[in-house]
Structures are given as C-alpha cells and as structure tokens.
C-alpha cells in the first residue's frame, strides 16, 4: 500500500499483533453469540517467518462462467457494509455487504452470509506477493520488487499483466468457487509508491483494467481499490470502489464519478472521528465506516 495508507493486509496485521501480544482498542465491538460465528477450518503449518500459522491452501478451483454486465451485482450508493479481515468473522454485524479475506474463509462462511441475505466480497492482493499465502511460490521471481512496508510482502511488477495472470486467475477462481459475489483486489495504485520498478500511471491503468476484466471473466463483480486519481478513467471498468481515508486526504469528491454512475463507494476512515467526516459522507451518499487498522470486527458506521 502507499506510505500514507498502510493498508491492513490481514496476515501482516496478524503477525504484528502476535509479535506485540496486544490488540488495538476497538471503536465499537460487536459481541457475537457463539452461534453467530463460523470459524474456518484449522490452518496448516507455514514456512512463514512468523510463528503464526498461515492459511490452509485451497483446492485448485475451476473458473466460473463470465456473467453478462446486466447480471453482475452492482452495489448502490449508500449500501451498508462490514469490513473484517480477521477471523472468525462476526456474522452478527448488521450490514448488507461483508468484505472478508478470501483465503481465510471457506465456502461455508460465504454460504451462511448468503443465507442471512448478505453479499460477500473476497479480499485478495493483486499488487504484492505475500510469502504467507499458499500460492507464493507461483509468482515469477523476476516480478518480485521491494517491500511494501508489511512483513513478508513485496511489490509486484505489474507492467506486463500477462505474466501475473496465472496466479491472479487462480485467486479469482478460488473466490468464485467459494461463492463470493465480488472481489476486492488490493494494492492497485503501485505507481504512487517506490516499488523497485518504473511503474507509470499508464501501466497502472492498463493493469487495473486487466484485473477488472479478469474478475468479470470469473463471474465476479470487482472493486477499484483506492487509486482515487484514476477513478474517473476507471469508473466504466469497475462495479464499485473501496476507499481508505478519502476524508483524511480531502479526496472524497474525486469519487463522484462512481456515485453518479450509481455505484457504491465503500469507505473507511481510521484516524478521523466520525463527527469529522460523516456529514460529508451523508451528503455524498458514501458507505462510511470508522475502523481500526487491524480491520477486526469493530466498526462504527456513520449514523
């Protein structure tokens, strides 16, 4: 992630929390009953440098047939959402959409969300390689760049999307096989960071459009993750956007192209208090949450 938005890749957060032995104080903690939580299957031991075990590899899924644009789910502005990248997922949160880790959650979690009338978004990284994921050995070595600031993660060279397609296609196929409705592909603004590669804005546009097409080929709706400066150019390619801290960086108005197209802006703030941004969120019809940076179950939506 960019230096100003050190996002919260799940496993990196888990490793940091494990090292510290403490957890951040949540804003609002939902208290699920035991029956409201579905735990994923126990993970297998990992070769990750962290003692925290990694996720259990999924079976190799086959791609789902592409849905026509009219058949794809397009979340509308103002929809309610929950963003939790820790497990087990708290299924008691009152939200229409859940954005959860695609590797750590199995099909039974997605099925339970659907049973409760929720939509499910599959979080995966597309712009960095994570050495704690089961498919890490599949990334071509020559495409691995510098650290993105999180333990075990390295930027990817996105200039030739075809070289990344085999791994990304398997990730999206995994999301589709588990029954997810959409994908949140993270780290889609590498051109704004020091990656170790001369990535330009033009490279990023081409890669992001490639990601959108690939998700659609697997029958998944797809979010533009951050990349606010290119939002107007990409609104036609993506079904909604997931944004971090547009209020903190005075960028929320730049996401109007999505809102005007009838596409949701799923928005999270970390450091600002809700009173500092909720009025604008309501005016623009953003789907805004206050979250802690570890993205656990605690969340405060704008009233």
């Amino acid at each position: 992630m960019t230096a100003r938005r050190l996002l919260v890749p799940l496993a990196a957060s888990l490793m940091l929390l494990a090292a510290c032995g403490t957890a951040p104080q949540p804003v609002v903690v939902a208290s699920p009953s035991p029956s409201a939580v579905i735990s994923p299957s126990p993970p297998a031991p990992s070769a990750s440098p962290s003692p925290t075990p990694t996720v259990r590899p999924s079976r190799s899924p086959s791609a789902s047939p592409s849905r026509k644009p009219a058949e794809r789910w397009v979340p509308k502005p103002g929809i309610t959402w929950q963003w939790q990248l820790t497990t087990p997922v708290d299924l008691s949160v009152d939200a229409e959409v859940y954005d959860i880790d695609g590797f750590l959650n199995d099909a039974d979690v997605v099925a339970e969300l659907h049973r409760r009338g929720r939509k499910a978004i599959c979080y995966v990284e597309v712009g960095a390689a994570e050495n704690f994921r089961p498919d890490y050995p599949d990334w071509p070595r020559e495409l691995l760049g510098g650290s993105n600031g999180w333990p075990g993660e390295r930027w990817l060279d996105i200039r030739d999307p075809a070289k990344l397609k085999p791994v990304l296609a398997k990730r999206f196929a995994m999301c589709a096989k588990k029954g997810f409705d959409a994908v949140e592909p993270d780290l889609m603004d590498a051109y704004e960071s020091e990656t170790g590669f001369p990535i330009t804005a033009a490279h990023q546009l081409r890669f992001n459009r490639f990601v959108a097409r690939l998700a659609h080929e697997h029958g998944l709706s797809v979010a533009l993750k951050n990349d606010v400066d290119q939002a107007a150019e990409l609104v036609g390619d993506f079904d909604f956007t997931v944004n971090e801290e547009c209020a903190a960086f005075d960028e929320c108005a730049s996401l109007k192209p999505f809102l005007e197209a009838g596409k949701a802006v799923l928005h999270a703030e970390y450091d600002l208090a809700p009173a500092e941004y909720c009025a604008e969120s309501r005016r623009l019809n953003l789907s805004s949450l206050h979250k802690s940076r570890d993205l656990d179950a605690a969340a405060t939506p704008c009233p």
Side-chain angles (χ1 to χ4, degrees):
M1 200 54 182
T2 59
R4 70 179 191 177
R5 292 190 187 94
L6 280 178
L7 177 84
V8 271
L10 168 65
S13 298
L14 291 176
M15 290 187 286
L16 292 173
L17 291 171
C20 297
T22 60
Q25 293 300 314
V27 180
V28 172
V29 179
S31 300
S33 63
S35 62
V37 176
I38 290 184
S39 301
S41 303
S46 168
S48 169
S50 168
T52 303
T54 190
V55 297
R56 176 174 54 79
S58 300
R59 297 184 183 90
S60 298
S62 57
S64 297
S66 178
R67 296 174 186 164
K68 297 178 182 179
E71 299 173 342
R72 283 197 302 269
W73 172 58
V74 178
K76 302 303 179 186
I79 196 169
T80 58
W81 76 306
Q82 163 67 330
W83 196 15
Q84 183 184 346
L85 300 187
T86 58
T87 56
V89 173
D90 176 2
L91 301 178
S92 71
V93 175
D94 185 13
E96 298 168 89
V97 180
Y98 276 62
D99 190 342
I100 61 177
D101 188 280
F103 282 97
L104 290 177
N105 292 285
D106 290 328
D108 56 350
V109 179
V110 179
E112 179 61 19
L113 286 170
H114 287 160
R115 190 187 71 79
R116 297 176 182 224
R118 316 304 194 191
K119 293 290 188 179
I121 300 172
C122 183
Y123 171 91
V124 293
E125 289 194 8
V126 298
E130 310 138 290
N131 68 8
F132 43 81
R133 298 298 195 186
D135 59 358
Y136 180 75
D138 298 336
W139 294 111
R141 300 298 94 180
E142 68 272 15
L143 301 184
L144 300 180
S147 169
N148 68 357
W150 291 98
E153 298 193 19
R154 296 171 65 179
W155 289 107
L156 289 166
D157 185 353
I158 64 166
R159 291 175 295 169
D160 185 354
K163 294 180 179 178
L164 302 172
K165 184 175 182 178
V167 178
L168 295 182
K170 289 180 181 177
R171 288 189 167 196
F172 290 175
M174 173 191 71
C175 294
K177 185 175 182 181
K178 290 181 178 182
F180 282 95
D181 302 287
V183 61
E184 179 205 334
D186 196 16
L187 299 172
M188 302 189 76
D189 47 9
Y191 73 106
E192 297 180 333
S193 297
E194 294 295 329
T195 63
F197 304 108
I199 296 172
T200 66
H203 291 137
Q204 193 72 61
L205 277 174
R206 182 173 60 185
F207 175 72
N208 289 359
R209 287 181 171 132
F210 159 80
V211 169
R213 288 194 303 271
L214 188 62
H216 288 158
E217 288 171 6
H218 286 81
L220 297 162
S221 301
V222 60
L224 175 66
K225 179 64 177 290
N226 293 322
D227 197 14
V228 174
D229 292 339
Q230 296 183 331
E233 296 174 87
L234 292 169
V235 64
D237 300 280
F238 289 85
D239 303 298
F240 59 106
T241 183
V242 174
N243 174 268
E244 296 171 284
E245 299 187 285
C246 71
F249 296 104
D250 195 23
E251 296 173 336
C252 294
S254 298
L255 299 172
K256 283 183 179 179
F258 275 86
L259 299 164
E260 292 168 352
K263 300 176 179 181
V265 174
L266 307 184
H267 163 234
E269 291 289 333
Y270 305 122
D271 299 326
L272 294 182
E276 298 179 82
Y277 61 85
C278 280
E280 183 184 26
S281 291
R282 288 190 295 269
R283 182 177 62 82
L284 293 173
N285 207 13
L286 307 183
S287 302
S288 297
L289 293 176
H290 188 281
K291 298 288 295 185
S292 61
R293 291 183 183 273
D294 64 313
L295 290 183
D296 58 13
T300 303
C302 286

